[in-house]
Amino acid sequence: KSLNHHFHSGVLAYRSQEWENAIRHFEKALEVVPDDGSSKVYIERCEHLKHEKLPKDWDGSYTLKTK
């Protein structure tokens, strides 16, 4: 399967707050394109957000708190 397939599936899982599932998809994307920066960023976000309490109506946005 393609990078786009895995990445799109990862984003859908991310937006549904299915962190582990999203991470698996982004890792699959990295198997296809190991230097895909977007997948790496989403994995980092998932790792962070899975420890946060988010509202049910969370819109998928992510706010950087540090530079």
Side-chain angles (χ1 to χ4, degrees):
K1 295 185 179 175
S2 70
L3 167 72
N4 287 340
H5 170 79
H6 293 301
F7 186 81
H8 179 71
S9 296
V11 170
L12 291 176
Y14 172 87
R15 289 184 178 156
S16 297
Q17 300 182 35
E18 299 171 4
W19 310 122
E20 296 303 326
N21 188 26
I23 290 169
R24 277 192 296 277
H25 285 294
F26 294 125
E27 287 174 342
K28 289 282 190 187
L30 288 172
E31 288 176 15
V32 177
V33 180
D35 62 344
D36 179 51
S38 296
S39 292
K40 291 177 183 179
V41 167
Y42 268 98
I43 290 171
E44 289 177 15
R45 289 181 183 179
C46 290
E47 292 292 351
H48 173 78
L49 290 172
K50 70 182 181 181
H51 301 290
E52 297 290 317
K53 181 84 171 150
L54 298 172
K56 289 281 187 204
D57 64 347
W58 176 68
D59 65 1
S61 62
Y62 186 83
T63 304
L64 290 174
K65 299 200 173 31
T66 61
K67 283 189 173 183

